[in-house]
Amino acid sequence: PCGISNYKVKTSWTAGPPPPNSFGPGGFDSTTWLVSSTFDTQVNGGAAFNSILWQGNQPSGTRVGFQIASSNNPSGPWTTYLGPGGSTTVYEPGAPNKQMKISRQDHNNKQYVRYKMYLSWSGSQGPRVDDVVISYSP
């Protein structure tokens, strides 16, 4: 049986200077990122993570990307923040409301998850992220 939950996540935000700057994973500005708080799936033995998507506004030329870390303990140890296929690049859905599959080999059977979100501007415009949705199954 499936239920509906309206979870809210506290985040910490680190804003860097507008690009150009040094670049991190996937060519994103290495100093402008957000790390979510830890989310508990409440699935004993861990969940099967399916996809990630974001909702908001993406002006032309801007980008939003994600890396995911998982653990079976809220205090860690955590997997390194990873992108597709266990890489150090980012999941880049490309547009709001577009799902991108999460690499199960890196995060399956983990109870806790958090993400790192990278933002990239175009001139003085940046994307606006209202929600991040991680889909998982028990």
Side-chain angles (χ1 to χ4, degrees), residues 63-134:
R63 296 167 54 205
V64 176
F66 297 91
Q67 290 178 318
I68 298 169
S70 56
S71 178
N72 277 320
N73 185 312
S75 302
W78 290 87
T79 61
T80 303
Y81 285 97
L82 299 171
S87 68
T88 57
T89 61
V90 298
Y91 289 98
E92 192 171 349
N97 299 309
K98 183 179 176 190
Q99 290 183 345
M100 184 162 204
K101 289 185 180 181
I102 292 175
S103 176
R104 288 189 174 175
Q105 70 187 26
D106 301 313
H107 304 290
N108 255 13
N109 302 320
K110 305 290 186 186
Q111 183 172 342
Y112 301 91
V113 66
R114 57 188 178 192
Y115 60 84
K116 185 181 278 191
M117 179 174 57
Y118 294 89
L119 304 174
S120 179
W121 285 269
S122 176
S124 63
Q125 289 194 334
R128 186 190 79 237
V129 178
D130 298 322
D131 291 304
V132 175
V133 179
I134 296 178

Side-chain angles (χ1 to χ4, degrees), residues 11-82:
T11 58
S12 60
W13 175 252
T14 302
N21 203 358
S22 58
F23 290 90
F28 283 90
D29 177 34
S30 65
T31 61
T32 306
W33 44 269
L34 172 145
V35 174
S36 73
S37 60
T38 301
F39 177 72
D40 182 354
T41 65
Q42 300 181 5
V43 177
N44 292 330
F49 293 97
N50 301 313
S51 64
I52 185 167
L53 70 83
W54 66 278
Q55 298 172 328
N57 182 41
Q58 185 176 20
S60 178
T62 65
R63 296 167 54 205
V64 176
F66 297 91
Q67 290 178 318
I68 298 169
S70 56
S71 178
N72 277 320
N73 185 312
S75 302
W78 290 87
T79 61
T80 303
Y81 285 97
L82 299 171

